[in-house]
């Protein structure tokens, strides 16, 4: 993987020099600092303002060293080495100076010389250096009282030493520009925006400043920063597809119960220590008292009613009026008996009336075992997961065009791009750490093109923001392709050697002139030409996209246009180029790889291929696998309504919130003869279940997860599941055994030192590797040892391929194929009754259906309700003020929420986040599907907006 951008800016490749360090001759690059070389050579130099990854400041003077022949001491963190230099880190003069500096800083931080107990870097250095105690007076407090205005971060500037780490972390790493340094001399102080409290500032709560602070002036709120930590567990974030590595810091609460007290970022390949608000402050959902801790069985005679969802969420219907607690044996028996009865029903044919929804938030092992359960134990091909609702169209187009549904380059490769083409994505909200790499690249000099109907936080950094009309992506992309061809900007050598279908594409866009496409998409012709030329002529252009491209009834066509743009210009197979659909959830990539797709077995092998089925049937002990492709998520709901699907097993998904046209979806779920739900909370879907199985959260189990970069990483348990909740893999296996499958993953330790919790996961993973070629060089032992390996990895002794498609594509002839598209209006059209376009999406603080984040105290405090973004001109015409209640009504349903007046949306457009059950966005969306990928068109719904009296 590439080194982080900041380190490459600070340490470019230069000539090697030799110098003397404490009497030893050492070699280093001339760009390296004394501090960095000393660390590599095993010499520890105190440092407080310096932090690896941040631009050196040299203002605390705690790292002073002596250089022969120089009158003054040198700050080792920002002094570069030079040939022949003689450096002493252990001279009496430098040691005394460092000691004095730390003593002064302890006084300046407001800490008495008798109190070194607070675990901070400053007090740690004081102890290490045996700094004298009691000699210097404490600095007079001259700041206001501690700032506790922010739900997640406590501010006590009396402990600040003006090292500016927080400022540099905020500005240079995260690119948020919230923290500044005001005034001078003894009055200098850290400020937030224009001297606001932190809670009233533009802070996005990434917590990078907290992780950077060496004194505790900034720390986790509610006392977590002062908690006793008994163990640190390295793992991976459970939220988005970036795959940030982190450490769970575990310690007792006031009752002596183990809790994750706070989270710190690790130097993983995807994040290099960075986190966002969800990764850093969204973990206490696992400690929420609403966690499911006992198996539940629906009470006899209590019918399933879709209206019970709202009544339960409002607190009007206690859960125990719907369910009774049961033992695991009883719950598992009832769950399996219902599935078996339907499976064996001669009326519907063996297995055809059963379906399963797996989870992209579970591990690779859970995804693999769940699809195996559906295909083997339930004898059905109807298995799907949430990729059907996010990137199914991207995967379909990529498989068709280049033979692989995976990304070509990692996100961090934007550091190598001259031009970054970002379309239909809002990474500052959905993939915040990925957004930092984009910000860093733009600040370094890359040009950013944003194509999005909404304005985003990245707009101010963009060279162009093409704010086109919603649902006109195909027209815009065809206009760009027309310019590339008409202006002679096609990479003819690349196309001749590696691309099929060029002539047909050329003919299809011949009439798609910028002028004609401008009339459709609303972007002027000159801008279309300028962007097309910039993309094609840049030495390296990289395309990243999100669900603004994929969640359309023409989502596959959208992705086809992006693939064609990269292929025709030869912008693929090199650093800083390529195609990258930003994966939504933490394991969307891995769950798809592992076979949670109705028409694919693991590793995207077609279920219709007899040879493929034979391989799996042999591996699974003679099982007969249905050769027919199964139904997708939305198709399954229609089949339920029609009586063709009678039983459903849902593991870690929440279709009663995530499916389009929720009124229809909830009625379908309630009508099921048998519904089994396995989850950590009583979700909207669980309310309609017959059996509810209490599951484990990600910080409570072993597992591997594959991020958006094709990076497979290890997740480790920090805690055990609460109450009688159990591991998901165990529960899946128990159901399978009761359905007649002779599985035996969950047994005693396998003898190689693995724990009883780790061994079953490793067994499933190793079976998965047999049929997944990209994992050939990544045995479980390597994954545990290295924490992360990029795939595909052919051999265990070599790194994986972070950039793919360098010489050929994984297709029968090694060539890619471009597919012509043409603009067609979508199913949802505005009219006099429904004159606005509704777009749904996420907000920074919440995730998916809110099942996790709405139970995380800090996240829910930061964003407690759904707000509808409405353009000021529309708000004025409708008589709706900021914060006022409004009603949104579509052809499918109605919700109420409060208005947020914002010019981020265009006139005629409204935006509603979908994580809030109080204003469930998918009550409004229709279920029209993309013809190829079967994905719903969430991004465009005709809606009317009405003020509420």
């Amino acid at each position: 993987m590439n080194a982080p951008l900041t380190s490459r800016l600070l340490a470019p490749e230069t000539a090697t020099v030799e110098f003397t360090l404490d009497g030893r001759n050492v070699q280093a690059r001339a760009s390296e600092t004394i501090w960095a070389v000393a660390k590599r050579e095993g010499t520890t130099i105190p440092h407080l303002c310096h932090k690896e990854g941040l631009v050196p400041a040299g203002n605390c003077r705690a790292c002073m060293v002596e250089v022969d022949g120089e009158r003054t001491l040198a700050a080792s963190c920002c002094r570069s080495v030079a040939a022949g230099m003689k450096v002493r880190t252990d001279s009496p003069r430098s040691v005394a100076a460092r000691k004095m500096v730390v003593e002064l800083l302890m006084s300046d931080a407001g800490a008495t010389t008798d109190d070194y107990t607070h675990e901070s870097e400053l007090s740690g250095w004081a102890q290490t250096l045996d700094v004298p105690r009691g000699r210097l007076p404490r600095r007079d407090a001259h700041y206001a009282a501690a700032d506790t205005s922010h739900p997640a971060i406590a501010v006590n500037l009396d402990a600040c030493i003006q090292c500016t780490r927080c400022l540099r972390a905020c500005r240079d790493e995260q690119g948020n520009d919230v923290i500044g340094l005001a005034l001078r001399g003894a009055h200098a102080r850290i400020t937030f925006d224009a001297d606001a409290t932190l809670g009233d500032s533009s802070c996005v709560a990434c917590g990078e400043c907290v992780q950077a602070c060496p004194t505790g002036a900034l720390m986790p709120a509610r006392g977590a920063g002062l908690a006793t930590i008994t163990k640190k567990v390295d793992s991976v974030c459970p939220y988005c597809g970036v795959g940030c590595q982190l450490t769970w810091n575990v310690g007792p609460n006031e009752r002596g119960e183990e809790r994750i007290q706070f989270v710190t970022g690790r130097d993983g390949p995807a994040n290099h220590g960075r986190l966002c608000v969800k990764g850093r402050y969204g973990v206490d959902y696992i400690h929420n008292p609403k966690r499911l801790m006992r198996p539940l069985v629906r009470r006899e005679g209590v019918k399933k009613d879709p209206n019970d969802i709202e009544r339960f969420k409002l607190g009007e219907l206690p859960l125990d009026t719907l369910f009774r607690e049961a033992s695991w044996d009883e719950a598992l028996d009832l769950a399996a008996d219902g599935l078996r009865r339907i499976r064996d029903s001669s009326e519907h044919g063996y297995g055809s009336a059963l379906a399963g929804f797996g989870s992209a938030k579970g591990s690779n092992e859970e995804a693999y075992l769940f699809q195996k359960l559906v295909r083997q134990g339930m004898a059905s091909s109807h298995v799907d997961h949430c990729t059907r609702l996010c990137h199914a169209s991207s995967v379909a187009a990529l498989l068709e065009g280049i033979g692989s549904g995976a990304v070509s380059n990692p996100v961090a490769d934007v550091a190598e791009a001259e031009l970054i083409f970002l379309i239909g994505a809002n990474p500052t909200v959905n993939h915040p750490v990925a957004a930092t790499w984009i910000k860093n690249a733009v600040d370094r000099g890359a040009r950013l093109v944003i194509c999005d109907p909404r304005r985003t936080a990245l707009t101010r950094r963009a060279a162009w923001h093409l704010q086109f009309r919603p649902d006109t992506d195909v027209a815009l992309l065809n206009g760009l392709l027309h310019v590339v061809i008409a202006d002679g900007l096609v990479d003819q050598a690349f196309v001749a050697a590696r691309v099929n279908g060029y002539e047909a594409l050329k003919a299809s866009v011949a009439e798609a002139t910028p002028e004609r496409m401008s009339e459709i998409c609303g972007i002027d012709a000159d801008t279309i030409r300028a962007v097309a030329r910039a993309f094609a002529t840049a030495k390296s252009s990289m395309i990243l996209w999100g669900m603004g491209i994929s969640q359309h009834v023409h989502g596959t066509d959208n992705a086809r246009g992006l693939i064609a743009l990269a292929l025709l210009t030869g912008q693929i197979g090199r650093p800083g180029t390529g195609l990258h659909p930003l994966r939504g959830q933490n394991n969307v990539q891995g769950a798809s790889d592992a076979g949670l797709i109705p028409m694919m077995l693991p590793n995207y092998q077609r279920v219709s291929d007899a040879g493929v089925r034979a391989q799996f049937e042999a591996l699974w002990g003679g099982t007969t696998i249905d050769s027919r492709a199964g139904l997708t998520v939305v198709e399954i709901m229609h089949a339920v309504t029609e009586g063709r699907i009678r039983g459903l097993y849902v593991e870690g998904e929440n279709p009663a919130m995530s499916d389009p046209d929720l009124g229809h979806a909830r009625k379908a779920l309630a009508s099921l003869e048998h519904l089994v739900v396995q989850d950590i909370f009583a979700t909207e879907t669980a309310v309609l279940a017959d059996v509810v199985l209490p599951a484990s959260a990600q910080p409570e189990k072993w597992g591997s997860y594959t991020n958006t970069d094709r990076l497979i990483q290890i997740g480790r348990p920090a805690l055990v599941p609460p109450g009688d909740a159990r591991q998901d893999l165990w529960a899946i296996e128990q159901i399978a055994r009761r359905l007649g499958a002779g599985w035996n993953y969950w047994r005693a330790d396998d003898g190689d030192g693995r724990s009883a919790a780790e061994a079953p996961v490793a067994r499933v993973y190793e079976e998965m590797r047999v049929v997944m070629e990209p994992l050939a060089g990544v045995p479980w032992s390597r994954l545990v040892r290295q924490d992360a390996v990029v795939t595909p990895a052919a051999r265990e002794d070599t790194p994986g391929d972070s950039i793919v498609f360098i010489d050929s594509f994984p297709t029968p002839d090694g060539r890619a194929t471009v597919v012509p598209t043409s603009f067609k209006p979508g199913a949802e059209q505005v009219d006099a009754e429904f004159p606005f376009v509704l777009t749904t999406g996420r907000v920074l603080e919440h995730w998916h259906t809110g099942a996790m984040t709405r139970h995380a105290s800090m996240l829910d405090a930061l964003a407690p309700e759904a707000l509808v973004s409405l353009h000021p001109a529309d708000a004025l015409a409708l008589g709706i003020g900021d914060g006022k209640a409004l009603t949104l009504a579509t052809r499918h349903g109605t919700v109420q929420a409060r208005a947020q007046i914002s010019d981020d949306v265009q006139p005629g457009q409204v935006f509603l986040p979908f994580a809030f059950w109080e204003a469930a966005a998918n009550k409004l969306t229709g279920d029209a599907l993309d013809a190829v990928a079967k994905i719903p068109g969430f991004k465009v719904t005709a809606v009317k907006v009405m003020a509420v009296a």
Side-chain angles (χ1 to χ4, degrees):
M1 300 295 289
N2 292 324
L5 174 65
T6 46
S7 65
R8 278 182 280 143
L9 288 175
L10 295 175
E13 293 299 325
T14 54
T16 299
V17 299
E18 187 172 291
F19 72 104
T20 302
L21 178 68
D22 294 333
R24 293 177 291 121
N25 289 335
V26 297
Q27 290 189 335
R29 297 192 308 273
S31 59
E32 289 187 282
T33 63
I34 295 171
W35 186 92
V37 177
K39 181 189 177 186
R40 189 172 67 244
E41 294 295 320
T43 298
T44 300
I45 302 176
H47 58 101
L48 287 162
C49 71
H50 180 61
K51 185 176 185 290
E52 290 182 275
L54 298 179
V55 176
N59 60 11
C60 77
R61 321 310 279 181
C63 68
M64 304 298 280
V65 296
E66 192 167 5
V67 178
D68 281 8
E70 296 186 4
R71 180 177 61 83
T72 59
L73 297 177
S76 63
C77 71
C78 56
R79 177 68 180 274
S80 297
V81 299
M85 176 186 281
K86 294 182 179 180
V87 178
R88 301 292 309 190
T89 69
D90 56 359
S91 70
R93 184 185 175 200
S94 60
V95 170
R98 295 198 295 261
K99 202 169 183 177
M100 188 71 247
V101 164
V102 172
E103 186 178 359
L104 286 164
L105 289 174
M106 284 293 290
S107 171
D108 197 41
T112 68
T113 51
D114 293 325
D115 179 17
Y116 292 172
T117 57
H118 172 61
E119 185 181 338
S120 72
E121 287 183 50
L122 177 56
S123 61
W125 285 120
Q127 289 177 305
T128 298
L129 298 175
D130 194 22
V131 168
R133 305 179 181 213
R135 295 199 309 171
L136 301 177
R138 176 176 175 166
R139 178 183 63 179
D140 291 336
H142 60 277
Y143 295 118
D147 178 359
T148 58
S149 61
H150 197 283
I153 301 171
V155 183
N156 178 21
L157 292 183
D158 275 333
C160 179
I161 59 173
Q162 287 85 46
C163 66
T164 69
R165 272 198 197 178
C166 60
L167 186 157
R168 286 172 285 144
C170 182
R171 179 192 62 200
D172 300 338
E173 279 202 312
Q174 291 279 347
N176 292 324
D177 302 326
V178 178
I179 300 178
L181 186 65
L183 307 179
R184 292 176 178 271
H187 299 287
R189 60 188 175 91
I190 291 295
T191 60
F192 307 106
D193 289 343
D195 208 17
T197 63
L198 186 59
D200 290 331
S201 74
S202 59
C203 173
V204 295
C206 68
E208 204 68 47
C209 58
V210 174
Q211 185 159 309
C213 180
T215 68
L218 297 163
M219 66 167 55
R222 306 180 190 179
L226 298 173
T228 300
I229 302 302
T230 55
K231 66 178 178 181
K232 296 175 182 284
V233 179
D234 292 339
S235 192
V236 63
C237 181
Y239 286 108
C240 82
V242 174
C244 297
Q245 288 189 14
L246 47 70
T247 298
W248 314 117
N249 292 268
V250 180
N253 64 6
E254 62 277 2
R255 296 185 297 276
E257 301 162 330
E258 276 198 332
R259 292 287 186 269
I260 295 177
Q261 297 290 352
F262 58 89
V263 180
T264 49
R266 281 200 297 151
D267 189 17
N271 64 311
H272 296 291
R274 305 177 186 190
L275 293 176
C276 78
V277 61
K278 292 184 286 288
R280 198 178 300 276
Y281 299 115
V283 69
D284 69 339
Y285 72 92
I286 67 170
H287 303 308
N288 192 292
K290 292 182 180 179
R291 278 288 298 272
L292 290 172
M293 300 188 193
R294 300 285 184 275
L296 301 174
V297 172
R298 182 165 288 273
R299 290 187 181 277
E300 190 172 352
V302 176
K303 294 183 179 180
K304 293 182 274 190
D305 183 347
N307 295 318
D308 286 349
I309 293 174
E310 301 288 345
R311 295 172 61 204
F312 168 69
K313 299 299 286 189
L314 289 168
E316 299 170 356
L317 183 67
L319 198 62
D320 61 8
T321 63
L322 302 174
F323 300 95
R324 62 173 174 84
E325 291 186 356
S327 69
W328 267 102
D329 280 339
E330 181 189 11
L332 289 167
D333 287 344
L334 287 171
D337 287 347
L339 295 173
R340 186 191 308 106
R341 182 179 64 253
I342 296 169
R343 181 195 68 183
D344 297 345
S345 168
S346 58
E347 178 186 352
H348 288 274
Y350 189 72
S352 63
L354 290 179
F357 292 162
S359 175
K361 301 220 73 63
S363 66
N364 288 314
E365 296 74 28
E366 290 165 4
Y368 173 83
L369 208 62
F370 188 82
Q371 63 85 32
K372 181 179 177 181
L373 166 68
V374 175
R375 291 186 160 106
Q376 183 181 37
M378 293 163 59
S380 173
S381 289
H382 307 317
V383 59
D384 210 351
H385 75 296
C386 77
T387 194
R388 188 65 47 200
L389 305 175
C390 56
H391 265 303
S393 51
S394 302
V395 172
L398 288 166
L399 286 170
E400 168 193 70
I402 61 178
S404 169
V407 303
S408 66
N409 298 54
V411 174
D413 218 35
V414 293
E416 306 292 342
E418 273 195 1
L419 186 140
I420 302 164
F421 190 89
L422 181 68
I423 181 168
N426 187 3
T428 52
V429 166
N430 297 326
H431 305 85
V433 171
T436 69
W437 304 122
I438 296 173
K439 295 175 192 176
N440 295 160
V442 174
D443 291 346
R444 175 261 300 163
R447 285 191 292 176
L448 174 63
V449 178
I450 296 177
C451 303
D452 199 303
R454 282 201 302 152
R455 191 172 66 182
T456 73
L458 286 174
T459 296
R460 69 185 180 92
R461 282 182 162 86
W464 293 276
H465 181 182
L466 279 57
Q467 204 167 356
F468 59 93
R469 296 188 184 110
D471 209 31
T472 62
D473 316 64
V474 170
L476 173 62
L477 293 172
N478 279 348
L480 295 171
L481 289 168
H482 174 95
V483 174
V484 168
I485 295 170
D487 287 11
L489 302 175
V490 174
D491 186 333
Q492 296 289 353
F494 184 90
V495 169
R498 300 183 58 184
V499 178
N500 297 323
Y502 170 63
E503 292 300 329
L505 180 74
K506 180 179 179 180
S508 75
V509 299
E511 302 300 319
T513 64
E515 285 74 18
R516 289 186 176 182
M517 296 304 99
S518 175
E519 294 175 3
I520 298 172
C521 70
I523 303 301
D524 70 85
D526 287 343
T527 299
I528 293 175
R529 285 193 173 89
V531 170
R533 290 164 181 165
F535 182 92
T537 58
K539 291 181 180 178
S540 52
S541 293
M542 186 172 178
I543 301 174
L544 301 100
W545 73 92
M547 291 185 289
I549 280 291
S550 59
Q551 286 184 330
H552 289 272
V553 294
H554 49 72
T556 303
D557 279 349
N558 291 346
R560 285 166 171 162
L562 295 173
I563 293 166
L565 187 60
L567 292 174
L568 263 57
T569 55
Q571 299 283 13
I572 195 167
R574 295 178 283 112
T577 67
L579 298 158
H580 193 120
L582 289 158
R583 306 302 184 183
Q585 300 197 53
N586 61 320
N587 204 37
V588 164
Q589 182 67 58
S592 301
D593 295 345
L596 273 183
I597 304 176
M599 63 288 297
M600 304 278 193
L601 285 154
N603 201 31
Y604 306 97
Q605 300 176 85
R606 294 277 176 184
V607 72
S608 58
D609 188 312
V612 168
R613 291 199 311 277
Q615 179 189 18
F616 280 90
E617 288 169 351
L619 178 66
W620 294 351
T623 301
T624 299
I625 298 174
D626 195 333
S627 63
R628 297 166 295 181
L631 300 176
T632 63
V633 166
V634 179
E635 289 175 327
I636 286 171
M637 289 303 174
H638 286 296
V640 171
T641 302
E642 295 162 6
R644 293 186 290 122
I645 297 291
R646 295 161 48 207
L648 179 65
Y649 183 3
V650 178
E651 185 251 349
E653 270 295 316
N654 191 14
M657 272 291 284
S658 62
D659 269 34
D661 194 358
L662 276 187
H664 173 267
R666 290 177 176 182
K667 287 179 182 177
L669 289 166
S671 71
L672 281 163
E673 181 181 319
H674 191 60
L675 173 60
V676 179
V677 172
Q678 184 171 316
D679 216 313
I680 61 175
F681 291 106
T683 63
E684 290 80 359
T685 305
V687 171
L688 302 176
D690 295 280
V691 180
V692 180
L693 306 177
S696 52
Q698 196 234 28
E700 298 162 354
K701 57 192 173 187
W702 284 93
S704 66
Y705 303 84
T706 307
N707 79 342
T708 192
D709 292 337
R710 295 178 278 102
L711 185 75
I712 186 167
Q713 303 186 97
I714 196 71
R716 296 180 177 85
L719 302 167
V720 296
D724 204 22
R726 299 287 182 89
Q727 298 289 333
D728 290 79
L729 278 183
W730 178 85
I732 294 168
E733 177 170 287
Q734 292 300 312
I735 295 287
R737 288 181 181 181
R738 286 165 170 80
L739 291 176
W743 295 1
N744 192 26
Y745 302 103
W746 213 274
R747 56 185 189 272
D749 180 11
D750 60 5
D752 67 354
R754 296 188 181 114
S755 68
E758 179 189 356
V761 185
R763 292 187 191 102
V764 176
Y765 177 85
E766 288 300 335
E767 179 181 312
M768 191 168 64
R769 283 182 62 230
V770 174
V771 288
M772 295 184 66
E773 185 180 356
L775 302 181
V778 196
W780 181 262
S781 56
R782 179 184 182 184
L783 191 56
V784 172
R785 183 175 68 251
Q786 296 184 4
D787 285 340
V789 181
V790 68
T791 61
R795 290 167 36 198
E796 188 173 354
D797 60 347
T798 59
D801 301 322
S802 60
I803 299 174
V804 293
F805 318 138
I806 296 172
D807 300 311
S808 65
F809 296 97
T811 59
D813 63 0
R815 296 167 65 90
T817 299
V818 290
V819 179
T821 65
S822 58
F823 171 77
K824 302 181 188 69
E828 289 277 343
Q829 293 295 306
V830 298
D831 55 23
E833 184 179 3
F834 301 101
F836 292 89
V837 173
L838 168 69
T839 297
T840 67
R842 296 188 176 104
V843 290
L844 172 64
E845 296 81 6
H846 289 297
W847 196 249
H848 205 40
T849 68
M852 292 159 60
T853 55
R854 296 298 304 281
H855 290 98
S857 60
M858 293 184 188
L859 299 182
D860 211 40
L862 287 166
E865 65 174 325
L867 297 174
V868 180
S869 297
L870 185 68
H871 192 273
D874 293 329
L876 182 64
L878 294 167
I880 297 173
D882 196 48
K884 298 301 182 181
L886 54 76
T887 296
L888 298 177
T890 71
R891 300 178 180 99
H892 317 284
T894 302
V895 302
Q896 283 193 358
R898 288 198 306 124
Q900 181 180 57
I901 310 305
S902 170
D903 58 5
D904 287 349
V905 293
Q906 302 179 45
Q909 180 189 24
V910 294
F911 173 82
L912 178 66
F914 54 65
F916 298 88
W917 64 266
E918 303 92 332
N922 285 344
K923 286 183 177 180
L924 303 173
T925 55
D927 57 3
L929 303 178
D930 177 284
V932 177
K934 310 298 184 184
I935 189 172
F938 287 119
K939 294 303 181 188
V940 177
T941 305
V943 64
K944 59 182 172 183
V945 182
M946 299 166 285
V948 174

